[in-house]
Amino acid sequence: MSDAKRSKPYPPISYSDYLKTSPLLELQKTRSAEFGEEAHEEMLFIIVHQTYELWFRQILHEINSILAMFARDLVREEDMGTVVGRLSRIVEIQRLLVDQVSVLETMTPLDFLDFRNMLYPASGFQSTQWRLIENRLGLKASTRLKYNAQPYHASVSPKEAEVLLKSEKDPSLFDSVDAWLARTPFLQIDGYDFGTEYREAVHAMLSEDKQTVLRFAKSDEDRERGLKQIGDTERVFESLFDADRYKELQDSGTFRLQHKAVQAALLILLYRDQPAFNLPFQLLTRLQDIDELMTTWRYRHALMAHRMLGSKIGTGGSSGHSYLKAATDTHRVFGDFFNLATFLIPRSSLPKLPEALTRRLGFHP
Ligand code: HEM
């Protein structure tokens, strides 16, 4: 709402009243001071964690607003710039979150031991906002690693668990983008069939790859391995255009997107220079950035846990560093867009789009 549209008169306000600095600065109470001599490093530990929670809040604020825009039957074209802008903001925040790990690492493992025992059984594992971010992005409960043979929500209060379970059922960013991509009208239009055109181009590329392997393989073993890899790529690629075979890829976890959605994503990645695909391309790129930075943060945090704890178990009772490292690989959300890179071909070999289609995708009269 613009300032001119506000009818209620508002009084002047000071910096500290507006930002509630007094109550805010009351919130850093060290447990070590409460129960004995204060451990100097505990203040840093609390402030770093609280800062994370504040940024998590901002990330959720952005994701929720984006989900609301995708909740319409038809996503409005004019909202796409805002969606991309907000996703970019999330990416910038994530970069900060990764960098912030180094600030906490100025605390040494020995310093940490001055107050660590006082934290049991509290753990970042119980961060409801972190779980909400994961669920809103689209991490599926069924893909989550088992944690002490319990579901992840067993370690939070019943009220928080209820919020988390509800969020599992709400449409996630993954679901929303999946549905939006599946509605792309340009895969088959006015006699043009993206699948037919593109398959020919990819087969030509793969047979060139085969020639390269045959010419340059250093041994029989090398040649066989190279040809097998190309054969596997060919089979997966064919499945992208065959509904039944694509189902197998979904069942095996190679792809999660709907069949039409995966094709639409490929079309957008390939023909991103067409004006109508430019914002969708940026959107897909931001989702990859978010996935990559979630993974980077997980890995950085796992290393920090290793550095602080060695092979001790976590305060939340997990195997510590090894649980966290395993989650780095398993808890990915937008891997489909990364996997699609296998099927990109050089621009010079890309089939030209028909004139009528480029007109529809561009700003031509
Ligand atoms: C001394 C620094 C830290 C250590 C040693 C540490 C250690 C751990 C360990 C061992 C776990 C696994 C659960 C458990 O058994 O407790 C965990 C989970 C977690 N921690 Fe930390 N942590 C540290 C700092 C942070 C910070 C600053 C944050 C920021 C919010 C954070 C957020 C999380 C989250 C979100 C999880 C759940 C991750 C998942 O399940 O994928 N941790 N941490």
Side-chain angles (χ1 to χ4, degrees):
M1 194 194 292
S2 77
D3 198 49
K5 282 192 192 150
R6 292 180 203 284
S7 50
K8 222 167 128 188
Y10 44 81
I13 191 164
S14 72
Y15 176 86
S16 50
D17 283 346
Y18 179 63
L19 293 173
K20 315 273 183 290
T21 46
S22 289
L24 181 67
L25 299 177
E26 282 298 310
L27 300 176
Q28 296 73 40
K29 299 274 185 250
T30 57
R31 236 169 119 76
S32 52
E34 193 183 346
F35 295 100
E37 195 185 330
E38 180 164 63
H40 178 84
E41 308 293 300
E42 197 186 347
M43 181 60 85
L44 177 74
F45 188 79
I46 293 176
I47 289 185
V48 169
H49 276 85
Q50 288 184 344
T51 317
Y52 270 105
E53 287 293 337
L54 284 176
W55 282 125
F56 290 167
R57 181 166 188 179
Q58 184 68 38
I59 291 177
L60 284 167
H61 186 61
E62 305 302 348
I63 300 180
N64 291 342
S65 74
I66 295 169
L67 287 173
M69 290 185 234
F70 272 104
R72 302 194 169 99
D73 286 344
L74 273 182
V75 184
R76 294 190 332 209
E77 290 293 324
E78 59 267 43
D79 285 342
M80 287 310 286
T82 309
V83 168
V84 170
R86 290 182 187 171
L87 289 174
S88 305
R89 180 177 294 154
I90 294 175
V91 169
E92 292 310 322
I93 295 172
Q94 286 181 294
R95 291 193 210 286
L96 276 183
L97 298 186
V98 173
D99 277 356
Q100 213 168 272
V101 172
S102 339
V103 180
L104 190 53
E105 280 179 344
T106 60
M107 172 180 82
T108 68
L110 202 61
D111 296 331
F112 186 35
L113 287 180
D114 287 342
F115 61 94
R116 180 177 185 245
N117 282 348
M118 310 184 90
L119 308 178
Y120 281 102
S123 161
F125 196 84
Q126 297 150 1
S127 166
T128 306
Q129 290 204 102
W130 173 258
R131 298 291 172 226
L132 272 178
I133 292 175
E134 290 180 327
N135 289 350
R136 295 248 185 276
L137 287 179
L139 181 62
K140 283 206 314 208
S142 56
T143 13
R144 283 184 183 278
L145 289 173
K146 279 271 167 279
Y147 176 78
N148 294 342
Q150 298 275 348
Y152 71 100
H153 47 79
S155 56
V156 296
S157 72
K159 213 169 145 205
E160 287 172 313
E162 200 181 306
V163 173
L164 292 177
L165 285 169
K166 180 180 174 305
S167 75
E168 281 181 13
K169 295 195 185 81
D170 293 339
S172 66
L173 192 55
F174 182 92
D175 300 331
S176 308
V177 171
D178 188 25
W180 168 73
L181 283 171
R183 291 195 298 264
T184 305
F186 302 111
L187 291 168
Q188 282 166 328
I189 194 163
D190 303 336
Y192 167 76
D193 180 39
F194 168 62
T196 315
E197 298 282 327
Y198 193 57
R199 270 152 106 172
E200 274 174 34
V202 171
H203 284 138
M205 174 185 80
L206 292 176
S207 57
E208 262 179 47
D209 287 355
K210 269 186 209 161
Q211 293 310 317
T212 312
V213 169
L214 290 173
R215 277 177 62 198
F216 297 111
K218 291 198 194 81
S219 63
D220 289 352
E221 213 182 41
D222 236 23
R223 185 178 317 109
E224 259 176 49
R225 197 178 326 114
L227 291 178
K228 183 182 173 310
Q229 252 173 23
I230 296 171
D232 290 347
T233 306
E234 214 159 14
R235 266 187 299 284
V236 176
F237 176 73
E238 273 306 321
S239 314
L240 291 189
F241 295 94
D242 177 317
D244 292 332
R245 284 167 67 187
Y246 185 71
K247 174 110 188 24
E248 287 167 26
L249 290 184
Q250 283 178 315
D251 293 343
S252 68
T254 314
F255 281 103
R256 210 180 134 189
L257 290 166
Q258 295 175 55
H259 190 213
K260 269 197 84 182
V262 84
Q263 294 178 18
L266 189 57
L267 180 74
I268 291 166
L269 294 180
L270 290 166
Y271 295 98
R272 63 178 196 198
D273 296 331
Q274 297 298 325
F277 286 158
N278 198 266
L279 275 174
F281 168 71
Q282 289 188 44
L283 186 144
L284 300 188
T285 308
R286 291 293 86 79
L287 296 180
Q288 290 184 67
D289 292 340
I290 288 175
D291 197 67
E292 193 165 307
L293 282 159
M294 284 289 278
T295 309
T296 309
W297 185 84
R298 286 184 201 281
Y299 191 65
R300 200 71 176 74
H301 170 262
L303 280 178
M304 173 171 62
H306 194 188
R307 179 182 184 138
M308 296 288 173
L309 308 176
S311 54
K312 292 183 186 117
I313 58 161
T315 44
S318 79
S319 58
H321 158 253
S322 25
Y323 159 79
L324 295 169
K325 199 153 163 287
T328 302
D329 282 333
T330 318
H331 292 178
R332 300 265 312 266
V333 175
F334 297 107
D336 285 36
F337 302 121
F338 290 72
N339 290 337
L340 276 178
T342 322
F343 309 111
L344 300 185
I345 58 172
R347 272 197 203 135
S348 51
S349 320
L350 203 57
K352 255 180 95 67
L353 293 175
E355 184 75 20
L357 183 54
T358 33
R359 268 181 202 288
R360 289 188 62 171
L361 295 171
F363 302 127
H364 312 277

